[in-house]
Amino acid sequence: MKIRKVEIRNYKCIERFSWCPSTGINCLIGFGDSGKSTVLDAIDFCLGARRTVPFSDSDFFKLDVESPISITLTIGDLDDSLKNLDTYGLFLRSFDHVSGKVEDEPDSDLETVLTVNLTVGSDLDPVWSLQSDRASEQSVLRGLAWKDRVRLAPARIGALASYNLGWRQGSVLNKLTEEKAHSAAALANAARQARETFGADADEQLKETLRVVAETAEELGVDVGGKAHALLDAHSISFGDGSVTLHSAEGIPLRGLGVGSTRLLIAGLQRKAADKSPILLVDEVEYGLEPHRIIRFLGSLGAKDTAPPFQVFMTTHSPVVLRELSGRQLYVLRNVEGQHGAIPVGGEDDVQGTIRCYPDAFLASTVLVCEGASEAGLVRGLDLFAQSGHAPSIFACGTALVDAGGVSQVMTRALAFQKLGYRVGVFRDDDRQPPQDEEQSFVESGGVVFKWRAGEKTESELFKSLPALAVSQLLHKAVALHGSELVDSHLRSVSNNALNVGMLQEPQRLVAITNEQRGLLARASTVKNSPWFKTLTIMEEVGREIVGPHIEASDLEFKMILHGLLEWARNAR
């Protein structure tokens, strides 16, 4: 049995949500507080084997208790018992996989489904029912039979996963086989023996206390039946089937395992019980797991299986998870004008390649695609400098940086993020341009392009726009990094020996530096195979130590470009 459609109204941060999930892995991603866990909770509460769920006013969208919470799940791949006409005939409907629509009348060309609804009104009383227009017209109300609710109830691997390491109601151990531990009589006898054994010892250990109790009771006329005894309370040592739990060979309860080991073991057991527990919910896949164990965990959930063992709904904030999953298993949760949606990332080559290279960016709300390492490093450095003056970090505001690796990939990366609903900007040089039609389409769809002036690139803008003192610092930085011999040879080469390091290091020459000399410095800094600043780390240092402190004294247009970029990045949400 599989969930074909999820519809949520007025629950927590979600006003409206509609989604047709896949039959295998469904991993919800997005920035914090976007509603990922809310979707899992909604599925759990609607389909779980519960007789009640505690709701409060805070569970209603914007605390509006007059607009009821409604969670509707359409279930397909039904077995024969759920298609029984005598039991559910009036509620059987059809689902169109192409359009994602649910038709009220059964149709031989479409899949037969049941629709389960959970509604919570202002009285906070949850009501579960099956939905169908035909039944409503006849005023027929009913829900799933309890045995069917138990069969359909999703398993959940969350923070309290150790619950599944005992033979408790609904635990995975009870789903693995039909075996039962008939422990009631044995446990009752054990409890009685424990009380008797303890009592014989306790009277001696606590005799003075018992003497005082007896004297006081006699003084007050309280009848304690003669001599008082210290015995184990029968209620405090009662046992049930849930008291049978897994232990190690040494007799140590396995609930003492680490969080990661517990979740990994339970994921493997859930797979063994997939035929009896077809739907699985997993909170924060990476919780408690090292990267290599995350991969094993996903394998247990069927992430690499051609035919998934069960339908999984999961959430994650881990780049490792994104790298391991395909784009067809990932859904970006978005809220657009009050309508939440789960946008499939998809399996196109450009998207899949972007996931592999920049998984962390998919977990942000805003993405700035930089042409190369120089641009990404400069932004990082400027951000660090701004933080020293107590400005908010662009990363804390929800912006991620992506190094596109060259102008040929800038628009490919930017468009991949944009079509998934991300707020996207591009920061590029202008000595070479991306395809004009792609950039135009990107801008028309809401993208923003930050670029240097016509024909310029980062190094030329720095040498041409910064004040003379900052140019001097750039030159000294280059010498410190690469040695005066290499820097001097570059300068002599691009100037036909008209310029050298010694000349520019003279204070009087630096104050009077010409635009032509600035241009020669820019050309020298980008000599092929040995550029001065062409790495993320170096350019980050340049941005933090040189550009940031001198930006206000720089060329106006240069300053406006960088200020505009940082302001846009800080308004990420």
Side-chain angles (χ1 to χ4, degrees):
M1 292 166 281
K2 303 287 188 296
I3 296 175
R4 300 303 189 198
K5 191 168 187 176
V6 180
E7 297 170 278
I8 302 172
R9 298 287 183 274
N10 305 314
Y11 180 46
K12 292 187 176 178
C13 65
I14 296 178
E15 182 178 14
R16 292 176 293 147
F17 176 73
S18 182
W19 176 35
C20 295
S22 74
T23 58
I25 298 284
N26 297 274
C27 184
L28 293 171
I29 61 174
F31 59 90
D33 303 320
S34 59
K36 302 183 294 296
S37 295
T38 298
V39 174
L40 262 63
D41 288 342
I43 295 172
D44 194 7
F45 294 157
C46 183
L47 211 55
R50 294 179 175 85
R51 298 192 185 277
T52 188
V53 175
F55 284 93
S56 68
D57 289 2
S58 62
D59 290 315
F60 289 77
F61 180 74
K62 292 186 176 180
L63 301 176
D64 180 9
V65 297
E66 299 306 315
S67 299
I69 295 169
S70 177
I71 302 167
T72 305
L73 303 180
T74 297
I75 313 298
D77 201 7
L78 305 177
D79 60 21
D80 291 340
S81 66
L82 290 171
K83 293 180 182 178
N84 186 290
L85 294 179
D86 293 334
T87 308
Y88 297 118
L90 198 56
F91 296 91
L92 293 175
R93 312 171 90 189
S94 297
F95 179 71
D96 188 335
H97 286 265
V98 176
S99 67
K101 292 183 178 179
V102 179
E103 305 290 347
D104 198 62
E105 294 287 343
D107 189 320
S108 59
D109 294 329
L110 302 176
E111 182 182 17
T112 301
V113 295
L114 284 170
T115 299
V116 184
N117 173 261
L118 167 61
T119 297
V120 184
S122 58
D123 59 0
L124 305 182
D125 188 23
V127 177
W128 287 269
S129 63
L130 291 169
Q131 282 193 337
S132 120
D133 294 341
R134 307 189 314 282
S136 296
E137 290 169 359
Q138 299 179 38
S139 300
V140 176
L141 297 174
R142 73 157 299 169
L144 283 170
W146 183 254
K147 64 179 178 61
D148 291 327
R149 283 186 64 179
V150 170
R151 289 192 305 123
L152 278 169
R156 189 161 187 168
I157 302 179
L160 301 177
S162 59
Y163 175 89
N164 283 283
L165 295 181
W167 276 264
R168 299 175 176 86
Q169 181 179 356
S171 76
V172 65
L173 294 177
N174 273 325
K175 297 177 182 179
L176 288 172
T177 67
E178 298 299 325
E179 296 174 327
K180 299 294 179 184
H182 301 292
S183 56
L187 293 172
N189 287 331
R192 296 186 189 106
Q193 291 174 14
R195 289 198 300 273
E196 293 170 3
T197 301
F198 179 80
D201 296 331
D203 275 3
E204 181 62 26
Q205 296 166 359
L206 303 171
K207 62 182 180 181
E208 180 60 22
T209 304
L210 292 172
R211 184 188 65 75
V212 174
V213 170
E215 288 181 357
T216 305
E218 186 176 356
E219 290 171 3
L220 298 174
V222 177
D223 185 6
V224 293
K227 184 181 179 181
H229 295 280
L231 301 174
L232 290 176
D233 190 321
H235 291 289
S236 69
I237 56 170
S238 61
F239 294 97
D241 287 346
S243 301
V244 181
T245 64
L246 287 174
H247 289 63
S248 70
E250 293 78 22
I252 301 171
L254 291 187
R255 66 174 180 271
L257 289 171
V259 172
S261 296
T262 299
R263 286 164 63 93
L264 193 58
L265 175 59
I266 291 170
L269 294 175
Q270 291 287 2
R271 179 164 184 144
K272 301 288 186 183
D275 58 330
K276 295 182 180 178
S277 186
I279 300 169
L280 182 62
L281 309 177
V282 185
D283 301 287
E284 300 291 350
V285 176
E286 64 278 8
Y287 181 59
L289 294 168
E290 302 87 349
H292 69 281
R293 300 181 92 192
I294 291 175
I295 296 171
R296 294 183 66 187
F297 186 83
L298 292 172
S300 294
L301 301 182
K304 302 298 182 180
D305 290 29
T306 304
F310 35 42
Q311 189 178 33
V312 182
F313 296 87
M314 63 172 68
T315 65
T316 189
H317 290 102
S318 169
V320 177
V321 175
L322 269 65
R323 283 197 185 97
E324 283 301 306
L325 297 180
S326 74
R328 294 184 178 87
Q329 297 168 319
L330 297 169
Y331 293 82
V332 181
L333 200 61
R334 281 277 177 264
N335 181 3
V336 181
E337 297 180 354
Q339 173 72 54
H340 271 77
I343 305 171
V345 171
E348 293 83 358
D349 289 343
D350 58 335
V351 173
Q352 197 67 57
T354 304
I355 294 172
R356 294 282 186 263
C357 295
Y358 318 104
D360 54 313
F362 284 85
L363 304 172
S365 60
T366 290
V367 180
L368 179 63
V369 180
C370 300
E371 178 175 324
S374 298
E375 290 71 37
L378 179 60
V379 174
R380 290 175 64 92
L382 289 171
D383 183 56
L384 288 170
F385 174 76
Q387 288 179 62
S388 66
H390 306 292
S393 167
I394 64 172
F395 302 108
C397 294
T399 294
L401 299 182
V402 166
D403 173 4
V407 70
S408 63
Q409 291 294 309
V410 165
M411 280 302 143
T412 299
R413 302 304 188 199
L415 290 167
F417 283 104
Q418 188 181 61
K419 70 181 181 181
L420 295 174
Y422 289 88
R423 179 173 176 262
V424 188
V426 164
F427 180 30
R428 67 170 178 83
D429 294 337
D430 200 64
D431 55 330
R432 290 190 298 147
Q433 294 81 30
Q436 280 301 106
D437 57 336
E438 292 183 4
E439 187 163 279
Q440 183 178 350
S441 174
F442 171 73
V443 173
E444 290 174 351
S445 299
V448 179
V449 177
F450 301 96
K451 61 181 179 178
W452 297 125
R453 288 168 282 195
E456 302 291 357
K457 52 187 174 182
T458 298
E459 291 83 358
S460 61
E461 283 283 8
L462 295 181
F463 278 107
K464 292 179 180 180
S465 302
L466 289 169
L469 178 58
V471 171
S472 173
Q473 291 174 349
L474 284 173
L475 183 61
H476 280 87
K477 182 78 172 175
V479 170
L481 289 169
H482 307 289
S484 59
E485 186 176 335
L486 181 140
V487 173
D488 189 71
S489 68
H490 286 184
L491 284 170
R492 291 180 183 277
S493 174
V494 300
S495 67
N496 292 322
N497 289 317
L499 197 63
N500 60 63
V501 170
M503 293 169 59
L504 292 176
Q505 287 179 328
E506 297 173 11
Q508 66 275 18
R509 288 291 188 94
L510 186 60
V511 172
I513 189 169
T514 65
N515 288 335
E516 180 183 2
Q517 289 172 330
R518 286 173 177 268
L520 290 171
L521 278 165
R523 287 175 54 196
S525 70
T526 56
V527 169
K528 193 173 182 180
N529 298 325
S530 52
W532 297 353
F533 311 119
K534 214 72 170 177
T535 71
L536 186 142
T537 301
I538 294 175
M539 192 59 83
E540 181 180 302
E541 293 173 358
V542 167
R544 184 178 190 175
E545 300 166 4
I546 302 174
V547 181
H550 294 284
I551 193 169
E552 296 304 326
S554 300
D555 174 88
L556 179 61
E557 192 169 350
F558 171 82
K559 179 169 61 175
M560 289 178 62
I561 292 170
L562 292 180
H563 278 327
L565 185 154
L566 292 173
E567 183 180 357
W568 176 87
R570 291 192 186 107
N571 289 308
R573 294 190 181 183

